[in-house]
C-alpha cells in the first residue's frame, strides 16, 4: 500500500499518532510518506490535535481518507493496541531529537475546560518508557496527571535512576505535591530538559501552589525551572494578572493560556490575547503593568525603563 500522512496542525510539534501509524505500516512493507498533493494514495491519514487548526482544504487523492485526533472531536477514537504500543517512527520529524509518548492516560480530575475526562476517563497505566524511548537520551512525556498514578510515580523513579532528561509538557498537578512532600523530593531527582511544568488555573488553589513551590525549592529544584500554565478566561483577566505576578514574585515563570470553549470553539477575545501577549513576552511582562501594555509599542518598553534590566 501507498500511505500518505497529513499533520493538519503543521510540523512544529510531532504528531504521535501519525508516527505510530507510519511505524506500523512500514512493518507491513507499505510505502509511507507525507502527502504530496501530486500522486494518488491507497490511504491517507489526516490528524489534528487542535480544533482551531484550519483543516486541509485540498482534494485528497486517495482511495480512503482517515481522519483522527481531538481536533476533529473524535473523542472515542483510539488506535488499535498493536499500533498504540509500537515505537513511533521518529524519522518523520528528523529535527526533533527527543522520544515522545505517554506513561499514563487519563486524569483523576474532571475540569470543565479539559477534554481529557471525556476522551480518556480516569487515570490508568499506559506504557513503560522503554516502549518508545528508542535509545534516546531525552523524552517529551504528554501525560495529563502522571503523579496521580502509582505507575506514574514508579516510572518517574525509573527515569531518575537511568538519568533520562524529560519534560512533562502537559504539566504536573501541584496540588498533589502540596499534599505529599515526598513527591517534591522525587521530582528533584529528575533531570529536566528545561522546565518542571505545573498549572495555576484559579486563585482557589493559591495556598497549594505556594506550598508546592516551597516543597520543590526545599527539595533542591531551582525556582527558574518552575513553569506554570495560567488559564485565562474572558472577564477574569484581573485574577489571571494576580496569579502571574504572584508566581513572578516567587521566582517562577507564568505562561498564559487563553481559554477556548471546547464545544463552541469561541475565538479568544482581544483582551485575552493582549494579556497572553503581555504575560508571555518576558520583556513586556518585566517592564510594565498589564494595564499599560500596548502591543503596538511592543519592544519599546525596555528603552524607557532600562534600570529594570540593569
Amino acid at each position: 500500500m501507498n500511505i500518505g500522512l497529513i499533520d493538519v496542525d503543521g510540523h512544529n510539534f510531532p504528531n504521535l499518532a501519525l508516527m505510530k501509524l507510519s511505524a506500523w505500516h512500514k512493518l507491513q512493507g507499505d510505502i509511507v510518506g507525507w502527502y504530496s498533493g501530486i500522486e494518488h494514495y491507497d490511504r491517507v491519514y489526516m490528524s489534528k490535535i487542535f480544533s482551531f487548526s484550519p483543516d486541509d482544504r485540498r482534494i485528497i487523492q486517495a482511495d480512503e481518507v482517515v481522519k483522527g485526533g481531538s481536533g476533529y472531536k473524535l473523542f472515542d477514537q483510539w488506535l488499535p493496541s498493536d499500533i498504540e504500543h509500537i515505537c513511533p517512527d521518529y524519522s518523520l520529524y528528523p529535527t526533533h531529537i527527543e522520544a515522545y509518548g505517554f506513561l499514563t492516560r487519563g486524569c483523576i480530575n474532571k475540569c470543565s475546560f479539559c477534554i481529557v475526562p471525556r476522551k480518556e476517563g480516569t487515570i490508568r497505566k499506559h506504557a513503560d518508557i522503554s516502549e518508545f524511548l528508542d535509545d534516546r537520551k531525552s523524552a517529551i512525556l504528554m501525560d495529563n496527571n502522571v503523579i496521580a498514578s502509582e505507575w506514574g510515580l514508579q516510572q518517574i523513579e525509573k527515569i531518575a535512576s537511568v538519568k533520562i532528561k524529560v519534560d512533562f509538557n502537559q504539566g504536573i498537578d501541584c496540588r498533589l505535591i502540596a499534599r505529599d512532600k515526598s513527591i517534591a523530593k522525587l521530582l528533584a531527582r529528575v533531570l529536566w530538559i528545561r522546565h518542571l511544568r505545573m498549572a495555576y488555573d484559579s486563585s482557589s488553589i493559591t495556598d497549594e501552589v505556594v506550598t508546592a513551590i516551597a516543597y520543590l525549592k526545599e527539595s533542591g529544584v531551582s525556582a527558574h525551572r518552575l513553569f506554570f500554565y495560567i488559564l485565562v478566561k474572558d472577564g477574569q483577566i484581573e485574577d489571571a494578572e494576580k496569579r502571574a505576578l504572584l508566581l513572578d514574585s516567587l521566582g517562577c515563570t507564568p505562561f498564559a493560556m487563553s481559554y477556548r470553549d471546547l464545544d463552541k470553539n469561541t475565538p479568544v477575545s482581544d483582551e485575552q490575547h493582549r494579556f497572553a501577549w503581555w504575560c508571555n513576552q518576558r520583556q513586556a511582562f518585566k517592564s510594565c503593568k498589564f494595564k499599560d501594555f500596548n502591543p503596538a509599542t511592543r519592544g519599546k518598553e525596555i528603552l524607557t525603563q532600562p534600570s529594570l534590566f540593569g
Side-chain angles (χ1 to χ4, degrees):
M1 293 179 69
N2 189 16
I3 304 296
L5 308 173
I6 298 177
D7 182 345
V8 180
D9 299 304
H11 289 227
N12 293 326
F13 190 86
N15 186 295
L16 186 58
L18 292 180
M19 288 194 291
K20 290 182 176 182
L21 286 164
S22 176
W24 186 85
H25 274 286
K26 286 181 178 179
L27 282 177
Q28 315 312 307
D30 297 331
I31 299 171
V32 184
W34 293 114
Y35 180 74
S36 66
I38 300 174
E39 60 186 301
H40 186 89
Y41 295 81
D42 296 298
R43 183 183 299 163
V44 167
Y45 292 101
M46 299 176 63
S47 178
K48 73 172 179 174
I49 305 302
F50 304 108
S51 60
F52 54 81
S53 293
D55 213 350
D56 194 305
R57 299 300 182 185
R58 292 176 293 182
I59 297 175
I60 307 302
Q61 301 182 66
D63 294 337
E64 181 183 12
V65 177
V66 180
K67 293 185 177 183
S70 54
Y72 288 116
K73 301 183 180 180
L74 300 172
F75 300 136
D76 59 349
Q77 181 189 70
W78 290 89
L79 294 174
S81 181
D82 56 339
I83 301 179
E84 179 63 47
H85 291 284
I86 200 171
C87 187
D89 178 7
Y90 292 118
S91 70
L92 290 180
Y93 299 88
T95 62
H96 293 264
I97 63 173
E98 300 87 4
Y100 290 81
F102 290 86
L103 305 173
T104 62
R105 299 304 292 254
C107 183
I108 58 173
N109 302 317
K110 296 182 179 180
C111 301
S112 60
F113 54 81
C114 182
I115 68 168
V116 174
R118 70 174 79 175
K119 181 181 179 183
E120 300 186 13
T122 192
I123 197 162
R124 61 191 182 279
K125 171 182 175 180
H126 183 72
D128 186 279
I129 192 169
S130 62
E131 179 177 291
F132 53 85
L133 194 58
D134 195 35
D135 294 326
R136 296 184 171 219
K137 304 303 181 185
S138 57
I140 306 296
L141 303 169
M142 295 173 281
D143 299 59
N144 293 291
N145 201 343
V146 65
I147 63 172
S149 159
E150 186 61 34
W151 171 258
L153 292 171
Q154 292 171 9
Q155 285 293 299
I156 293 175
E157 282 274 7
K158 181 174 182 177
I159 287 166
S161 297
V162 299
K163 301 187 184 305
I164 299 297
K165 288 187 175 183
V166 297
D167 181 359
F168 286 96
N169 72 347
Q170 299 303 299
I172 289 173
D173 194 337
C174 63
R175 293 168 294 185
L176 298 179
I177 299 172
R179 296 169 202 166
D180 186 352
K181 187 186 291 188
S182 68
I183 296 177
K185 293 178 179 179
L186 172 60
L187 296 174
R189 293 171 47 206
V190 174
L191 298 176
W192 301 99
I193 291 176
R194 185 177 180 187
H195 295 300
L196 192 169
R197 304 174 192 271
M198 293 171 279
Y200 186 8
D201 292 329
S202 167
S203 289
S204 65
I205 65 167
T206 295
D207 289 346
E208 291 157 301
V209 168
V210 172
T211 299
I213 292 171
Y215 284 168
L216 288 163
K217 288 181 178 179
E218 180 184 322
S219 299
V221 181
S222 298
H224 77 273
R225 288 205 179 275
L226 302 181
F227 179 103
F228 282 82
Y229 295 115
I230 293 180
L231 187 69
V232 183
K233 292 187 175 182
D234 195 25
Q236 299 180 18
I237 303 297
E238 184 177 348
D239 181 73
E241 183 177 12
K242 289 179 181 178
R243 284 178 276 143
L245 293 175
L246 174 60
L247 291 171
D248 183 61
S249 73
L250 295 173
C252 307
T253 302
F255 186 85
M257 302 283 286
S258 298
Y259 171 73
R260 293 174 181 264
D261 189 292
L262 291 174
D263 298 310
K264 298 178 182 178
N265 201 25
T266 306
V268 171
S269 71
D270 290 342
E271 196 71 351
Q272 284 174 288
H273 182 70
R274 188 168 74 93
F275 180 85
W277 200 345
W278 168 75
C279 181
N280 301 342
Q281 298 288 332
R282 302 305 294 167
Q283 288 185 339
F285 181 72
K286 288 290 190 178
S287 63
C288 69
K289 295 180 180 180
F290 172 60
K291 66 181 180 66
D292 299 321
F293 175 61
N294 181 356
T297 61
R298 184 174 65 90
K300 299 178 182 179
E301 300 91 348
I302 60 172
L303 299 179
T304 60
Q305 300 185 51
S307 61
L308 293 175
F309 297 90

